[in-house]
Amino acid sequence: MLLFCRSRRVKELGKLALVPGIFGINEPIIFGLPILLNPLMLVPFMLVPTINIIISYFCMSIGLVPLCTGIAIPWTMPVIVSGFLATGWQGSVLQALLLVLGVFIYMPFIKMMDKQYLADETKAVESSDDDDISLDDLSFDDL
């Protein structure tokens, strides 16, 4: 969102949600973008976790990535670090690749939403230019 979007709303939300997102706290994006109750974002929201599970399963079943060691990792552990703690360096590499894949799956949907928000922002700026209110027009005589 920070790298590819041009609308002010999405960029500010990206800045706000960056640090919590690193630690797996994604509510600012889920409710702020919004992803929840948004039919446009339903496709990547359902597709990315499904693809991640399928790829992870096959990587573990064929032995590219070892099975998890059974260590209980806190849910706020950042991506790549949690993969390293659960399975070793192979898990970190897998998580990094899945993260990049997820970004590419979300990118066209975020860009469509960004275009809508950018059009709304330019429309709001144009309408605010037409409706300039002057303090000279105010009158308190009728009170």
Side-chain angles (χ1 to χ4, degrees):
M1 289 171 34
L2 289 173
L3 299 175
F4 303 110
C5 294
R6 298 180 312 191
S7 70
R8 185 171 181 260
R9 176 179 177 180
V10 177
K11 280 193 175 242
E12 291 298 319
L13 181 63
K15 290 176 192 174
L16 178 71
L18 180 65
V19 175
I22 290 172
F23 296 100
I25 302 167
N26 297 313
E27 283 81 2
I29 291 184
I30 289 175
F31 298 110
L33 195 51
I35 290 177
L36 193 66
L37 298 176
N38 187 345
L40 176 67
M41 298 304 289
L42 178 67
V43 174
F45 189 66
M46 298 297 286
L47 189 64
V48 170
T50 305
I51 289 173
N52 287 350
I53 290 170
I54 292 169
I55 291 173
S56 298
Y57 173 79
F58 282 115
C59 287
M60 287 182 175
S61 68
I62 63 174
L64 288 175
V65 176
L67 294 175
C68 295
T69 58
I71 296 173
I73 298 171
W75 66 272
T76 56
M77 186 65 60
V79 176
I80 300 172
V81 175
S82 65
F84 179 76
L85 293 175
T87 62
W89 66 270
Q90 298 96 333
S92 295
V93 172
L94 178 63
Q95 277 189 340
L97 293 174
L98 292 176
L99 180 67
V100 170
L101 178 65
V103 167
F104 281 114
I105 291 172
Y106 264 100
M107 193 180 323
F109 296 95
I110 294 289
K111 283 190 173 191
M112 282 190 282
M113 185 178 283
D114 185 51
K115 281 183 184 179
Q116 291 174 353
Y117 289 161
L118 198 58
D120 291 345
E121 288 173 6
T122 55
K123 184 179 174 184
V125 167
E126 290 172 359
S127 68
S128 69
D129 290 342
D130 297 338
D131 298 334
D132 284 341
I133 297 174
S134 173
L135 294 177
D136 297 332
D137 297 337
L138 294 177
S139 173
F140 293 106
D141 295 335
D142 296 332
L143 294 176

